[in-house]
């Protein structure tokens, strides 16, 4: 898990990765079936500072989400982000009973209070308040371990080469957004295959692997960061266009392409 070369983000371990993104739902998540995460146990590989992980746990109503990243300092930031996001969420009584415009009838109110699909209001507490007073403290884990923020955990690990305790129970969904290139460039074709096989093994029967592969034409800039990456890149035979075929060979069933967001940002 040690970083080979100081500040060079050879794992795609960018700091401030989400700083230019507005605090709205990640557009890649919007391409997925609406209920994909509801009530599910999810692993987010390469979670970086945990923004996507928290969105899956909070707005997309996963039962449990584990974010894993190779960079310990990003994982520390992710824990802080979890608290910041919690701070901005409406208190349960408000997010359960009151719509955004506060005009709901008492009948509907009662119905929403018992609905299992009630959604939190993520943007209730202004960021300016957090800047002035610091984030609100997270209540002790009491009743709802399956609700945000208690349903989120972060771990520092090279998930391609090391297991984490949470793997034992398995996952319903494994998410890998913008990480395959870094696994490929650091571990070569063998590392990438190990990753795909690990995902297959860690998924429960019927589980879903959500992969956002970076295109081959983005590898060039990445490999120029570091001599070792450049060396590894010379021997790569697998291309991202081969991933669908390879995933089927690993054992996955149907491969579905959900489209592109057209979103920029670092890869
Ligand atoms: C470009 S960022 C993508 C972050 C996030 N998945 C997203 O798309 O918003 C890639 C992340 O993967 C992490 N990473 C790379 N190799 C990894 C590995 N073997 N195990 C766990 N995390 C890894 C990096 O540290 C980095 O935070």
């Amino acid at each position: 898990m040690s970083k080979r070369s100081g500040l060079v983000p050879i794992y795609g371990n960018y700091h401030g990765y989400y700083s230019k993104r507005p605090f709205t739902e990640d557009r890649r998540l919007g391409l997925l079936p609406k209920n994909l995460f509801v009530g599910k146990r999810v692993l987010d590989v390469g979670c970086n500072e945990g923004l996507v992980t928290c969105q899956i746990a909070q707005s997309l109503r996963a039962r449990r989400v584990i974010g894993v990243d190779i960079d310990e300092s990003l994982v520390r930031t992710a824990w802080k982000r979890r608290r910041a996001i919690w701070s901005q969420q409406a208190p349960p009584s408000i997010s359960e009973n009151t719509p955004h415009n506060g005009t709901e009838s008492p009948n509907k109110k009662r119905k929403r209070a018992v609905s299992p699909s009630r959604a939190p209001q993520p943007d209730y507490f202004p960021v300016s308040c957090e800047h002035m007073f610091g984030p609100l403290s997270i209540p002790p884990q009491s009743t709802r371990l399956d609700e945000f923020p208690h349903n989120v955990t972060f771990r520092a690990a090279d998930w391609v080469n090391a297991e984490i305790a949470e793997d034992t129970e398995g996952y319903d969904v494994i998410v890998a957004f913008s990480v395959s290139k870094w696994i490929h460039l650091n571990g070569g074709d063998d590392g990438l295959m190990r990753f795909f096989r690990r995902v297959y093994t860690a998924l429960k029967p019927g589980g879903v692997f959500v992969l956002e592969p970076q295109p081959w034409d983005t590898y060039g800039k990445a490999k120029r960061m570091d001599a070792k990456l450049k060396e590894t890149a010379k021997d790569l035979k697998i291309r991202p266009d081969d991933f669908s075929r390879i995933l089927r060979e690993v054992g996955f069933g149907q491969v579905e392409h959900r489209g592109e967001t057209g979103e920029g940002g670092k890869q």
Side-chain angles (χ1 to χ4, degrees), residues 10-14 17-18 21 26 28 44-52 68-71 74 155-161 175-180 182-183 186 195 212 214 266-267:
I10 59 168
Y11 300 107
N13 47 325
Y14 301 111
Y17 190 63
Y18 301 112
R21 300 187 188 191
D26 189 286
R28 295 167 295 182
D44 179 15
V45 182
C47 66
N48 198 270
E49 294 178 355
L51 186 67
V52 170
V68 62
D69 202 282
I70 198 167
D71 185 324
L74 287 174
R155 297 277 177 246
D158 169 359
W159 197 77
V160 179
N161 297 297
V175 176
F177 280 166
S178 291
V179 65
S180 56
W182 302 108
I183 291 171
N186 279 283
F195 173 55
E212 182 207 18
Q214 295 106 319
K266 300 178 192 120
Q267 292 185 316

Side-chain angles (χ1 to χ4, degrees), residues 23-43:
F23 234 14
T24 53
E25 187 174 298
D26 189 286
R27 288 161 68 185
R28 295 167 295 182
L29 293 172
L31 292 173
L32 303 173
K34 205 169 177 307
N35 292 326
L36 179 66
F37 299 104
V38 177
K40 298 290 169 55
R41 186 176 160 83
V42 180
L43 177 70

Side-chain angles (χ1 to χ4, degrees), residues 9 40 70 94 96 113 125 135 144 156 170 191 209 243:
K40 298 290 169 55
I70 198 167
I94 291 173
E96 286 167 22
F125 188 66
R144 304 305 307 252
F209 179 30
F243 286 2

Side-chain angles (χ1 to χ4, degrees), residues 10-205:
I10 59 168
Y11 300 107
N13 47 325
Y14 301 111
H15 291 243
Y17 190 63
Y18 301 112
S19 58
K20 293 198 185 95
R21 300 187 188 191
F23 234 14
T24 53
E25 187 174 298
D26 189 286
R27 288 161 68 185
R28 295 167 295 182
L29 293 172
L31 292 173
L32 303 173
K34 205 169 177 307
N35 292 326
L36 179 66
F37 299 104
V38 177
K40 298 290 169 55
R41 186 176 160 83
V42 180
L43 177 70
D44 179 15
V45 182
C47 66
N48 198 270
E49 294 178 355
L51 186 67
V52 170
T53 325
C54 286
Q55 286 178 355
I56 293 171
Q58 183 192 41
S59 310
L60 301 180
R61 321 303 315 276
R63 175 169 54 85
R64 180 117 211 111
V65 190
I66 296 98
V68 62
D69 202 282
I70 198 167
D71 185 324
E72 285 174 24
S73 65
L74 287 174
V75 168
R76 280 196 295 275
T77 308
W79 280 110
K80 287 187 198 143
R81 186 177 280 275
R82 166 181 174 265
R83 183 166 168 194
I85 293 173
W86 156 255
S87 268
Q88 288 158 35
Q89 179 178 307
S93 57
I94 291 173
S95 64
E96 286 167 22
N97 297 327
T98 314
H100 284 262
N101 61 12
T103 57
E104 198 161 12
S105 73
N107 281 349
K108 271 195 174 169
K109 213 186 241 185
R110 202 173 310 126
K111 196 172 166 201
R112 186 173 287 209
V114 295
S115 163
S117 63
R118 64 187 189 275
Q121 283 178 38
D123 50 4
Y124 174 78
F125 188 66
V127 179
S128 56
C129 288
E130 195 203 318
H131 286 311
M132 286 167 72
F133 307 113
L136 299 178
S137 43
I138 290 176
Q141 297 193 8
S142 49
T143 44
R144 304 305 307 252
L145 293 181
D146 58 347
E147 285 192 350
F148 188 77
H150 298 304
N151 60 350
V152 181
T153 301
F154 295 104
R155 297 277 177 246
D158 169 359
W159 197 77
V160 179
N161 297 297
E163 294 194 358
I164 56 173
E166 286 78 5
D167 293 346
T168 320
E169 206 181 307
Y171 305 99
D172 301 300
V173 184
I174 296 182
V175 176
F177 280 166
S178 291
V179 65
S180 56
K181 174 174 71 183
W182 302 108
I183 291 171
H184 206 179
L185 281 173
N186 279 283
D189 287 346
D190 287 349
L192 184 75
M193 291 305 295
R194 194 175 316 122
F195 173 55
F196 287 160
R197 290 196 193 98
R198 282 220 60 204
V199 170
Y200 187 76
T201 308
L203 280 171
K204 297 178 187 174

